[in-house]
PDB file of all heavy atoms in Angstrom:
ATOM      1  N   GLU C 285      65.592  27.839 -14.272  1.00 92.00           N
ATOM      2  CA  GLU C 285      66.936  27.325 -14.528  1.00 92.00           C
ATOM      3  C   GLU C 285      66.988  26.607 -15.879  1.00 92.00           C
ATOM      4  O   GLU C 285      66.024  25.994 -16.305  1.00 92.00           O
ATOM      5  CB  GLU C 285      67.355  26.348 -13.422  1.00 92.00           C
ATOM      6  CG  GLU C 285      67.763  27.041 -12.143  1.00 92.00           C
ATOM      7  CD  GLU C 285      68.039  26.067 -11.011  1.00 92.00           C
ATOM      8  OE1 GLU C 285      67.556  24.924 -11.041  1.00 92.00           O
ATOM      9  OE2 GLU C 285      68.736  26.469 -10.081  1.00 92.00           O
ATOM     10  N   ASN C 286      68.124  26.699 -16.511  1.00 91.00           N
ATOM     11  CA  ASN C 286      68.382  26.014 -17.779  1.00 91.00           C
ATOM     12  C   ASN C 286      69.487  25.000 -17.587  1.00 91.00           C
ATOM     13  O   ASN C 286      70.392  25.227 -16.786  1.00 91.00           O
ATOM     14  CB  ASN C 286      68.919  27.014 -18.810  1.00 91.00           C
ATOM     15  CG  ASN C 286      67.826  27.629 -19.640  1.00 91.00           C
ATOM     16  OD1 ASN C 286      66.727  27.094 -19.726  1.00 91.00           O
ATOM     17  ND2 ASN C 286      68.129  28.753 -20.255  1.00 91.00           N
ATOM     18  N   ILE C 287      69.447  23.923 -18.329  1.00 93.00           N
ATOM     19  CA  ILE C 287      70.613  23.052 -18.388  1.00 93.00           C
ATOM     20  C   ILE C 287      71.349  23.423 -19.661  1.00 93.00           C
ATOM     21  O   ILE C 287      70.781  23.376 -20.749  1.00 93.00           O
ATOM     22  CB  ILE C 287      70.211  21.565 -18.440  1.00 93.00           C
ATOM     23  CG1 ILE C 287      69.117  21.276 -17.426  1.00 93.00           C
ATOM     24  CG2 ILE C 287      71.444  20.668 -18.287  1.00 93.00           C
ATOM     25  CD1 ILE C 287      69.507  20.687 -16.148  1.00 93.00           C
ATOM     26  N   LEU C 288      72.587  23.825 -19.507  1.00 93.00           N
ATOM     27  CA  LEU C 288      73.341  24.409 -20.612  1.00 93.00           C
ATOM     28  C   LEU C 288      74.636  23.637 -20.859  1.00 93.00           C
ATOM     29  O   LEU C 288      75.336  23.292 -19.919  1.00 93.00           O
ATOM     30  CB  LEU C 288      73.738  25.827 -20.230  1.00 93.00           C
ATOM     31  CG  LEU C 288      72.962  27.003 -20.786  1.00 93.00           C
ATOM     32  CD1 LEU C 288      73.354  28.237 -20.037  1.00 93.00           C
ATOM     33  CD2 LEU C 288      73.254  27.179 -22.236  1.00 93.00           C
ATOM     34  N   THR C 289      74.930  23.427 -22.135  1.00 94.00           N
ATOM     35  CA  THR C 289      76.210  22.815 -22.496  1.00 94.00           C
ATOM     36  C   THR C 289      77.163  23.929 -22.895  1.00 94.00           C
ATOM     37  O   THR C 289      76.799  24.785 -23.693  1.00 94.00           O
ATOM     38  CB  THR C 289      76.016  21.867 -23.689  1.00 94.00           C
ATOM     39  OG1 THR C 289      75.010  20.920 -23.354  1.00 94.00           O
ATOM     40  CG2 THR C 289      77.283  21.154 -24.039  1.00 94.00           C
ATOM     41  N   VAL C 290      78.350  23.941 -22.316  1.00 94.00           N
ATOM     42  CA  VAL C 290      79.377  24.882 -22.774  1.00 94.00           C
ATOM     43  C   VAL C 290      80.437  24.029 -23.463  1.00 94.00           C
ATOM     44  O   VAL C 290      81.116  23.235 -22.824  1.00 94.00           O
ATOM     45  CB  VAL C 290      79.992  25.677 -21.610  1.00 94.00           C
ATOM     46  CG1 VAL C 290      81.067  26.617 -22.122  1.00 94.00           C
ATOM     47  CG2 VAL C 290      78.914  26.457 -20.891  1.00 94.00           C
ATOM     48  N   THR C 291      80.522  24.176 -24.759  1.00 94.00           N
ATOM     49  CA  THR C 291      81.384  23.259 -25.503  1.00 94.00           C
ATOM     50  C   THR C 291      82.004  23.938 -26.711  1.00 94.00           C
ATOM     51  O   THR C 291      81.653  25.056 -27.073  1.00 94.00           O
ATOM     52  CB  THR C 291      80.570  22.016 -25.928  1.00 94.00           C
ATOM     53  OG1 THR C 291      81.419  21.107 -26.600  1.00 94.00           O
ATOM     54  CG2 THR C 291      79.437  22.394 -26.872  1.00 94.00           C
ATOM     55  N   GLY C 292      82.927  23.271 -27.315  1.00 92.00           N
ATOM     56  CA  GLY C 292      83.628  23.783 -28.478  1.00 92.00           C
ATOM     57  C   GLY C 292      84.851  22.914 -28.693  1.00 92.00           C
ATOM     58  O   GLY C 292      85.466  22.474 -27.726  1.00 92.00           O
ATOM     59  N   LYS C 293      85.169  22.658 -29.953  1.00 90.00           N
ATOM     60  CA  LYS C 293      86.267  21.750 -30.277  1.00 90.00           C
ATOM     61  C   LYS C 293      87.595  22.212 -29.692  1.00 90.00           C
ATOM     62  O   LYS C 293      88.406  21.414 -29.272  1.00 90.00           O
ATOM     63  CB  LYS C 293      86.417  21.672 -31.796  1.00 90.00           C
ATOM     64  CG  LYS C 293      85.756  20.465 -32.409  1.00 90.00           C
ATOM     65  CD  LYS C 293      86.183  20.381 -33.862  1.00 90.00           C
ATOM     66  CE  LYS C 293      85.241  19.498 -34.638  1.00 90.00           C
ATOM     67  NZ  LYS C 293      85.391  19.685 -36.074  1.00 90.00           N
ATOM     68  N   LYS C 294      87.820  23.524 -29.718  1.00 88.00           N
ATOM     69  CA  LYS C 294      89.128  24.035 -29.316  1.00 88.00           C
ATOM     70  C   LYS C 294      89.167  24.473 -27.853  1.00 88.00           C
ATOM     71  O   LYS C 294      90.144  25.051 -27.414  1.00 88.00           O
ATOM     72  CB  LYS C 294      89.511  25.222 -30.218  1.00 88.00           C
ATOM     73  CG  LYS C 294      89.670  24.853 -31.682  1.00 88.00           C
ATOM     74  CD  LYS C 294      91.033  24.233 -31.961  1.00 88.00           C
ATOM     75  CE  LYS C 294      91.115  23.547 -33.301  1.00 88.00           C
ATOM     76  NZ  LYS C 294      91.267  24.473 -34.416  1.00 88.00           N
ATOM     77  N   LEU C 295      88.092  24.229 -27.099  1.00 91.00           N
ATOM     78  CA  LEU C 295      88.086  24.673 -25.706  1.00 91.00           C
ATOM     79  C   LEU C 295      88.893  23.694 -24.849  1.00 91.00           C
ATOM     80  O   LEU C 295      88.884  22.493 -25.095  1.00 91.00           O
ATOM     81  CB  LEU C 295      86.650  24.757 -25.181  1.00 91.00           C
ATOM     82  CG  LEU C 295      85.759  25.807 -25.834  1.00 91.00           C
ATOM     83  CD1 LEU C 295      84.448  25.911 -25.087  1.00 91.00           C
ATOM     84  CD2 LEU C 295      86.438  27.159 -25.861  1.00 91.00           C
ATOM     85  N   PRO C 296      89.558  24.233 -23.821  1.00 90.00           N
ATOM     86  CA  PRO C 296      90.352  23.344 -22.961  1.00 90.00           C
ATOM     87  C   PRO C 296      89.469  22.377 -22.173  1.00 90.00           C
ATOM     88  O   PRO C 296      89.896  21.265 -21.846  1.00 90.00           O
ATOM     89  CB  PRO C 296      91.092  24.315 -22.038  1.00 90.00           C
ATOM     90  CG  PRO C 296      90.338  25.591 -22.115  1.00 90.00           C
ATOM     91  CD  PRO C 296      89.704  25.644 -23.455  1.00 90.00           C
ATOM     92  N   SER C 297      88.260  22.779 -21.820  1.00 91.00           N
ATOM     93  CA  SER C 297      87.399  21.887 -21.037  1.00 91.00           C
ATOM     94  C   SER C 297      85.963  21.987 -21.537  1.00 91.00           C
ATOM     95  O   SER C 297      85.544  23.002 -22.095  1.00 91.00           O
ATOM     96  CB  SER C 297      87.459  22.277 -19.565  1.00 91.00           C
ATOM     97  OG  SER C 297      87.107  23.643 -19.422  1.00 91.00           O
ATOM     98  N   GLN C 298      85.209  20.914 -21.340  1.00 93.00           N
ATOM     99  CA  GLN C 298      83.813  20.850 -21.763  1.00 93.00           C
ATOM    100  C   GLN C 298      82.938  20.774 -20.511  1.00 93.00           C
ATOM    101  O   GLN C 298      83.312  20.133 -19.539  1.00 93.00           O
ATOM    102  CB  GLN C 298      83.577  19.597 -22.619  1.00 93.00           C
ATOM    103  CG  GLN C 298      84.616  19.366 -23.692  1.00 93.00           C
ATOM    104  CD  GLN C 298      84.532  20.395 -24.797  1.00 93.00           C
ATOM    105  OE1 GLN C 298      83.457  20.897 -25.105  1.00 93.00           O
ATOM    106  NE2 GLN C 298      85.662  20.732 -25.391  1.00 93.00           N
ATOM    107  N   HIS C 299      81.807  21.454 -20.550  1.00 93.00           N
ATOM    108  CA  HIS C 299      80.980  21.487 -19.346  1.00 93.00           C
ATOM    109  C   HIS C 299      79.510  21.336 -19.656  1.00 93.00           C
ATOM    110  O   HIS C 299      79.053  21.681 -20.737  1.00 93.00           O
ATOM    111  CB  HIS C 299      81.147  22.833 -18.622  1.00 93.00           C
ATOM    112  CG  HIS C 299      82.534  23.131 -18.232  1.00 93.00           C
ATOM    113  ND1 HIS C 299      83.110  22.687 -17.076  1.00 93.00           N
ATOM    114  CD2 HIS C 299      83.500  23.841 -18.874  1.00 93.00           C
ATOM    115  CE1 HIS C 299      84.355  23.112 -17.011  1.00 93.00           C
ATOM    116  NE2 HIS C 299      84.626  23.796 -18.099  1.00 93.00           N
ATOM    117  N   ASN C 300      78.768  20.840 -18.650  1.00 94.00           N
ATOM    118  CA  ASN C 300      77.312  20.953 -18.654  1.00 94.00           C
ATOM    119  C   ASN C 300      76.945  21.625 -17.339  1.00 94.00           C
ATOM    120  O   ASN C 300      77.424  21.218 -16.290  1.00 94.00           O
ATOM    121  CB  ASN C 300      76.662  19.575 -18.737  1.00 94.00           C
ATOM    122  CG  ASN C 300      76.864  18.955 -20.104  1.00 94.00           C
ATOM    123  OD1 ASN C 300      76.334  19.437 -21.092  1.00 94.00           O
ATOM    124  ND2 ASN C 300      77.660  17.893 -20.164  1.00 94.00           N
ATOM    125  N   TYR C 301      76.116  22.656 -17.422  1.00 94.00           N
ATOM    126  CA  TYR C 301      75.794  23.438 -16.236  1.00 94.00           C
ATOM    127  C   TYR C 301      74.297  23.495 -16.019  1.00 94.00           C
ATOM    128  O   TYR C 301      73.507  23.430 -16.959  1.00 94.00           O
ATOM    129  CB  TYR C 301      76.277  24.885 -16.393  1.00 94.00           C
ATOM    130  CG  TYR C 301      77.758  25.059 -16.250  1.00 94.00           C
ATOM    131  CD1 TYR C 301      78.532  25.375 -17.354  1.00 94.00           C
ATOM    132  CD2 TYR C 301      78.364  24.920 -15.008  1.00 94.00           C
ATOM    133  CE1 TYR C 301      79.888  25.546 -17.232  1.00 94.00           C
ATOM    134  CE2 TYR C 301      79.728  25.099 -14.888  1.00 94.00           C
ATOM    135  CZ  TYR C 301      80.488  25.411 -15.983  1.00 94.00           C
ATOM    136  OH  TYR C 301      81.830  25.579 -15.856  1.00 94.00           O
ATOM    137  N   ILE C 302      73.942  23.712 -14.749  1.00 94.00           N
ATOM    138  CA  ILE C 302      72.592  24.157 -14.481  1.00 94.00           C
ATOM    139  C   ILE C 302      72.726  25.640 -14.154  1.00 94.00           C
ATOM    140  O   ILE C 302      73.487  26.043 -13.277  1.00 94.00           O
ATOM    141  CB  ILE C 302      71.925  23.315 -13.371  1.00 94.00           C
ATOM    142  CG1 ILE C 302      70.495  23.750 -13.186  1.00 94.00           C
ATOM    143  CG2 ILE C 302      72.673  23.335 -12.052  1.00 94.00           C
ATOM    144  CD1 ILE C 302      69.628  22.641 -12.621  1.00 94.00           C
ATOM    145  N   VAL C 303      72.070  26.466 -14.960  1.00 94.00           N
ATOM    146  CA  VAL C 303      72.289  27.913 -14.924  1.00 94.00           C
ATOM    147  C   VAL C 303      70.978  28.621 -14.617  1.00 94.00           C
ATOM    148  O   VAL C 303      69.935  28.268 -15.170  1.00 94.00           O
ATOM    149  CB  VAL C 303      72.826  28.403 -16.290  1.00 94.00           C
ATOM    150  CG1 VAL C 303      73.043  29.891 -16.280  1.00 94.00           C
ATOM    151  CG2 VAL C 303      74.104  27.688 -16.655  1.00 94.00           C
ATOM    152  N   ARG C 304      71.029  29.611 -13.749  1.00 94.00           N
ATOM    153  CA  ARG C 304      69.849  30.445 -13.529  1.00 94.00           C
ATOM    154  C   ARG C 304      69.581  31.248 -14.807  1.00 94.00           C
ATOM    155  O   ARG C 304      70.513  31.876 -15.348  1.00 94.00           O
ATOM    156  CB  ARG C 304      70.083  31.425 -12.375  1.00 94.00           C
ATOM    157  CG  ARG C 304      70.368  30.772 -11.034  1.00 94.00           C
ATOM    158  CD  ARG C 304      69.121  30.313 -10.330  1.00 94.00           C
ATOM    159  NE  ARG C 304      69.467  29.553  -9.131  1.00 94.00           N
ATOM    160  CZ  ARG C 304      69.598  30.102  -7.918  1.00 94.00           C
ATOM    161  NH1 ARG C 304      69.414  31.399  -7.755  1.00 94.00           N
ATOM    162  NH2 ARG C 304      69.898  29.350  -6.882  1.00 94.00           N
ATOM    163  N   ILE C 305      68.336  31.246 -15.232  1.00 93.00           N
ATOM    164  CA  ILE C 305      67.987  31.997 -16.440  1.00 93.00           C
ATOM    165  C   ILE C 305      68.201  33.481 -16.164  1.00 93.00           C
ATOM    166  O   ILE C 305      67.692  34.003 -15.175  1.00 93.00           O
ATOM    167  CB  ILE C 305      66.526  31.716 -16.837  1.00 93.00           C
ATOM    168  CG1 ILE C 305      66.408  30.278 -17.319  1.00 93.00           C
ATOM    169  CG2 ILE C 305      66.061  32.685 -17.923  1.00 93.00           C
ATOM    170  CD1 ILE C 305      65.001  29.805 -17.511  1.00 93.00           C
ATOM    171  N   GLY C 306      68.955  34.153 -17.009  1.00 92.00           N
ATOM    172  CA  GLY C 306      69.251  35.558 -16.780  1.00 92.00           C
ATOM    173  C   GLY C 306      70.736  35.789 -16.551  1.00 92.00           C
ATOM    174  O   GLY C 306      71.214  36.915 -16.582  1.00 92.00           O
ATOM    175  N   THR C 307      71.489  34.705 -16.342  1.00 94.00           N
ATOM    176  CA  THR C 307      72.948  34.817 -16.272  1.00 94.00           C
ATOM    177  C   THR C 307      73.440  35.230 -17.654  1.00 94.00           C
ATOM    178  O   THR C 307      72.973  34.703 -18.656  1.00 94.00           O
ATOM    179  CB  THR C 307      73.556  33.447 -15.901  1.00 94.00           C
ATOM    180  OG1 THR C 307      72.858  32.940 -14.763  1.00 94.00           O
ATOM    181  CG2 THR C 307      75.023  33.549 -15.591  1.00 94.00           C
ATOM    182  N   THR C 308      74.350  36.179 -17.751  1.00 94.00           N
ATOM    183  CA  THR C 308      74.776  36.632 -19.076  1.00 94.00           C
ATOM    184  C   THR C 308      75.791  35.655 -19.678  1.00 94.00           C
ATOM    185  O   THR C 308      76.416  34.876 -18.968  1.00 94.00           O
ATOM    186  CB  THR C 308      75.425  38.031 -19.017  1.00 94.00           C
ATOM    187  OG1 THR C 308      76.607  37.926 -18.238  1.00 94.00           O
ATOM    188  CG2 THR C 308      74.494  39.060 -18.429  1.00 94.00           C
ATOM    189  N   TYR C 309      75.926  35.748 -20.986  1.00 94.00           N
ATOM    190  CA  TYR C 309      76.897  34.905 -21.689  1.00 94.00           C
ATOM    191  C   TYR C 309      78.291  35.141 -21.128  1.00 94.00           C
ATOM    192  O   TYR C 309      79.068  34.208 -20.942  1.00 94.00           O
ATOM    193  CB  TYR C 309      76.870  35.195 -23.198  1.00 94.00           C
ATOM    194  CG  TYR C 309      75.667  34.609 -23.883  1.00 94.00           C
ATOM    195  CD1 TYR C 309      74.486  35.325 -23.985  1.00 94.00           C
ATOM    196  CD2 TYR C 309      75.708  33.332 -24.416  1.00 94.00           C
ATOM    197  CE1 TYR C 309      73.368  34.785 -24.595  1.00 94.00           C
ATOM    198  CE2 TYR C 309      74.605  32.778 -25.033  1.00 94.00           C
ATOM    199  CZ  TYR C 309      73.431  33.512 -25.124  1.00 94.00           C
ATOM    200  OH  TYR C 309      72.343  32.958 -25.729  1.00 94.00           O
ATOM    201  N   ASN C 310      78.599  36.410 -20.847  1.00 93.00           N
ATOM    202  CA  ASN C 310      79.922  36.716 -20.307  1.00 93.00           C
ATOM    203  C   ASN C 310      80.154  36.031 -18.975  1.00 93.00           C
ATOM    204  O   ASN C 310      81.233  35.503 -18.724  1.00 93.00           O
ATOM    205  CB  ASN C 310      80.083  38.240 -20.156  1.00 93.00           C
ATOM    206  CG  ASN C 310      80.677  38.845 -21.419  1.00 93.00           C
ATOM    207  OD1 ASN C 310      81.339  38.144 -22.195  1.00 93.00           O
ATOM    208  ND2 ASN C 310      80.420  40.117 -21.634  1.00 93.00           N
ATOM    209  N   ASP C 311      79.112  36.031 -18.105  1.00 93.00           N
ATOM    210  CA  ASP C 311      79.240  35.358 -16.810  1.00 93.00           C
ATOM    211  C   ASP C 311      79.537  33.880 -17.005  1.00 93.00           C
ATOM    212  O   ASP C 311      80.379  33.302 -16.320  1.00 93.00           O
ATOM    213  CB  ASP C 311      77.940  35.502 -16.006  1.00 93.00           C
ATOM    214  CG  ASP C 311      77.743  36.931 -15.506  1.00 93.00           C
ATOM    215  OD1 ASP C 311      78.748  37.631 -15.322  1.00 93.00           O
ATOM    216  OD2 ASP C 311      76.573  37.332 -15.310  1.00 93.00           O
ATOM    217  N   ILE C 312      78.798  33.274 -17.927  1.00 94.00           N
ATOM    218  CA  ILE C 312      78.971  31.835 -18.171  1.00 94.00           C
ATOM    219  C   ILE C 312      80.369  31.552 -18.686  1.00 94.00           C
ATOM    220  O   ILE C 312      81.062  30.650 -18.212  1.00 94.00           O
ATOM    221  CB  ILE C 312      77.909  31.329 -19.171  1.00 94.00           C
ATOM    222  CG1 ILE C 312      76.515  31.437 -18.548  1.00 94.00           C
ATOM    223  CG2 ILE C 312      78.209  29.897 -19.595  1.00 94.00           C
ATOM    224  CD1 ILE C 312      75.389  31.198 -19.514  1.00 94.00           C
ATOM    225  N   ILE C 313      80.805  32.357 -19.647  1.00 93.00           N
ATOM    226  CA  ILE C 313      82.134  32.146 -20.234  1.00 93.00           C
ATOM    227  C   ILE C 313      83.212  32.351 -19.179  1.00 93.00           C
ATOM    228  O   ILE C 313      84.154  31.568 -19.063  1.00 93.00           O
ATOM    229  CB  ILE C 313      82.336  33.103 -21.436  1.00 93.00           C
ATOM    230  CG1 ILE C 313      81.438  32.662 -22.590  1.00 93.00           C
ATOM    231  CG2 ILE C 313      83.790  33.133 -21.872  1.00 93.00           C
ATOM    232  CD1 ILE C 313      81.245  33.690 -23.664  1.00 93.00           C
ATOM    233  N   LYS C 314      83.029  33.398 -18.363  1.00 92.00           N
ATOM    234  CA  LYS C 314      84.016  33.713 -17.332  1.00 92.00           C
ATOM    235  C   LYS C 314      84.143  32.560 -16.342  1.00 92.00           C
ATOM    236  O   LYS C 314      85.241  32.147 -15.981  1.00 92.00           O
ATOM    237  CB  LYS C 314      83.575  34.981 -16.606  1.00 92.00           C
ATOM    238  CG  LYS C 314      84.717  35.801 -16.083  1.00 92.00           C
ATOM    239  CD  LYS C 314      84.193  37.165 -15.703  1.00 92.00           C
ATOM    240  CE  LYS C 314      85.075  37.833 -14.672  1.00 92.00           C
ATOM    241  NZ  LYS C 314      84.397  38.980 -14.080  1.00 92.00           N
ATOM    242  N   HIS C 315      82.993  32.027 -15.925  1.00 92.00           N
ATOM    243  CA  HIS C 315      83.042  30.960 -14.939  1.00 92.00           C
ATOM    244  C   HIS C 315      83.603  29.661 -15.521  1.00 92.00           C
ATOM    245  O   HIS C 315      84.386  28.975 -14.877  1.00 92.00           O
ATOM    246  CB  HIS C 315      81.652  30.701 -14.367  1.00 92.00           C
ATOM    247  CG  HIS C 315      81.640  29.561 -13.392  1.00 92.00           C
ATOM    248  ND1 HIS C 315      82.121  29.672 -12.116  1.00 92.00           N
ATOM    249  CD2 HIS C 315      81.241  28.275 -13.521  1.00 92.00           C
ATOM    250  CE1 HIS C 315      82.011  28.518 -11.506  1.00 92.00           C
ATOM    251  NE2 HIS C 315      81.488  27.646 -12.322  1.00 92.00           N
ATOM    252  N   SER C 316      83.215  29.347 -16.731  1.00 91.00           N
ATOM    253  CA  SER C 316      83.610  28.041 -17.258  1.00 91.00           C
ATOM    254  C   SER C 316      84.974  28.044 -17.917  1.00 91.00           C
ATOM    255  O   SER C 316      85.702  27.065 -17.855  1.00 91.00           O
ATOM    256  CB  SER C 316      82.556  27.539 -18.244  1.00 91.00           C
ATOM    257  OG  SER C 316      82.363  28.499 -19.257  1.00 91.00           O
ATOM    258  N   LEU C 317      85.332  29.143 -18.581  1.00 88.00           N
ATOM    259  CA  LEU C 317      86.559  29.142 -19.362  1.00 88.00           C
ATOM    260  C   LEU C 317      87.564  30.176 -18.890  1.00 88.00           C
ATOM    261  O   LEU C 317      88.704  30.180 -19.348  1.00 88.00           O
ATOM    262  CB  LEU C 317      86.248  29.424 -20.839  1.00 88.00           C
ATOM    263  CG  LEU C 317      85.165  28.579 -21.488  1.00 88.00           C
ATOM    264  CD1 LEU C 317      84.793  29.180 -22.816  1.00 88.00           C
ATOM    265  CD2 LEU C 317      85.647  27.153 -21.663  1.00 88.00           C
ATOM    266  N   GLY C 318      87.149  31.070 -18.011  1.00 87.00           N
ATOM    267  CA  GLY C 318      88.021  32.183 -17.674  1.00 87.00           C
ATOM    268  C   GLY C 318      87.855  33.266 -18.709  1.00 87.00           C
ATOM    269  O   GLY C 318      87.205  34.275 -18.486  1.00 87.00           O
ATOM    270  N   GLU C 319      88.422  33.036 -19.878  1.00 86.00           N
ATOM    271  CA  GLU C 319      88.134  33.949 -20.984  1.00 86.00           C
ATOM    272  C   GLU C 319      88.092  33.176 -22.289  1.00 86.00           C
ATOM    273  O   GLU C 319      88.573  32.038 -22.372  1.00 86.00           O
ATOM    274  CB  GLU C 319      89.139  35.083 -21.054  1.00 86.00           C
ATOM    275  CG  GLU C 319      90.548  34.613 -21.322  1.00 86.00           C
ATOM    276  CD  GLU C 319      91.517  35.775 -21.437  1.00 86.00           C
ATOM    277  OE1 GLU C 319      91.100  36.928 -21.171  1.00 86.00           O
ATOM    278  OE2 GLU C 319      92.681  35.539 -21.791  1.00 86.00           O
ATOM    279  N   LEU C 320      87.525  33.820 -23.286  1.00 88.00           N
ATOM    280  CA  LEU C 320      87.390  33.150 -24.573  1.00 88.00           C
ATOM    281  C   LEU C 320      88.757  32.949 -25.207  1.00 88.00           C
ATOM    282  O   LEU C 320      89.626  33.801 -25.075  1.00 88.00           O
ATOM    283  CB  LEU C 320      86.543  34.010 -25.510  1.00 88.00           C
ATOM    284  CG  LEU C 320      85.041  33.964 -25.321  1.00 88.00           C
ATOM    285  CD1 LEU C 320      84.397  34.977 -26.245  1.00 88.00           C
ATOM    286  CD2 LEU C 320      84.502  32.580 -25.612  1.00 88.00           C
ATOM    287  N   PRO C 321      88.962  31.829 -25.899  1.00 88.00           N
ATOM    288  CA  PRO C 321      90.220  31.659 -26.627  1.00 88.00           C
ATOM    289  C   PRO C 321      90.384  32.784 -27.653  1.00 88.00           C
ATOM    290  O   PRO C 321      89.388  33.293 -28.179  1.00 88.00           O
ATOM    291  CB  PRO C 321      90.046  30.315 -27.334  1.00 88.00           C
ATOM    292  CG  PRO C 321      88.887  29.659 -26.700  1.00 88.00           C
ATOM    293  CD  PRO C 321      88.051  30.711 -26.060  1.00 88.00           C
ATOM    294  N   ALA C 322      91.622  33.174 -27.910  1.00 87.00           N
ATOM    295  CA  ALA C 322      91.872  34.304 -28.815  1.00 87.00           C
ATOM    296  C   ALA C 322      91.387  34.019 -30.224  1.00 87.00           C
ATOM    297  O   ALA C 322      91.098  34.927 -30.995  1.00 87.00           O
ATOM    298  CB  ALA C 322      93.365  34.616 -28.833  1.00 87.00           C
ATOM    299  N   THR C 323      91.269  32.752 -30.568  1.00 88.00           N
ATOM    300  CA  THR C 323      90.893  32.416 -31.944  1.00 88.00           C
ATOM    301  C   THR C 323      89.392  32.179 -32.098  1.00 88.00           C
ATOM    302  O   THR C 323      88.958  31.622 -33.095  1.00 88.00           O
ATOM    303  CB  THR C 323      91.633  31.150 -32.405  1.00 88.00           C
ATOM    304  OG1 THR C 323      91.349  30.114 -31.465  1.00 88.00           O
ATOM    305  CG2 THR C 323      93.110  31.370 -32.500  1.00 88.00           C
ATOM    306  N   THR C 324      88.608  32.611 -31.105  1.00 89.00           N
ATOM    307  CA  THR C 324      87.165  32.402 -31.206  1.00 89.00           C
ATOM    308  C   THR C 324      86.607  33.098 -32.434  1.00 89.00           C
ATOM    309  O   THR C 324      86.910  34.268 -32.677  1.00 89.00           O
ATOM    310  CB  THR C 324      86.473  32.964 -29.955  1.00 89.00           C
ATOM    311  OG1 THR C 324      87.023  32.324 -28.831  1.00 89.00           O
ATOM    312  CG2 THR C 324      84.981  32.722 -30.013  1.00 89.00           C
ATOM    313  N   GLY C 325      85.816  32.378 -33.209  1.00 90.00           N
ATOM    314  CA  GLY C 325      85.262  32.972 -34.419  1.00 90.00           C
ATOM    315  C   GLY C 325      83.773  33.192 -34.351  1.00 90.00           C
ATOM    316  O   GLY C 325      83.217  34.045 -35.053  1.00 90.00           O
ATOM    317  N   LYS C 326      83.098  32.415 -33.541  1.00 92.00           N
ATOM    318  CA  LYS C 326      81.647  32.503 -33.538  1.00 92.00           C
ATOM    319  C   LYS C 326      81.139  31.896 -32.239  1.00 92.00           C
ATOM    320  O   LYS C 326      81.710  30.898 -31.759  1.00 92.00           O
ATOM    321  CB  LYS C 326      81.115  31.679 -34.713  1.00 92.00           C
ATOM    322  CG  LYS C 326      79.737  32.059 -35.212  1.00 92.00           C
ATOM    323  CD  LYS C 326      79.406  31.171 -36.404  1.00 92.00           C
ATOM    324  CE  LYS C 326      78.557  31.892 -37.431  1.00 92.00           C
ATOM    325  NZ  LYS C 326      78.324  31.092 -38.620  1.00 92.00           N
TER     326      LYS C 326
END
Side-chain angles (χ1 to χ4, degrees):
Chain C
E285 283 174 338
N286 268 340
I287 315 261
L288 258 168
T289 305
V290 179
T291 182
K293 262 190 198 164
K294 297 279 166 77
L295 294 188
S297 56
Q298 313 291 329
H299 302 275
N300 290 293
Y301 285 110
I302 184 154
V303 179
R304 299 279 173 92
I305 291 170
T307 311
T308 64
Y309 285 89
N310 269 337
D311 289 333
I312 294 170
I313 290 164
K314 210 166 156 194
H315 177 76
S316 56
L317 309 168
E319 63 178 7
L320 281 175
T323 55
T324 302
K326 203 178 213 175

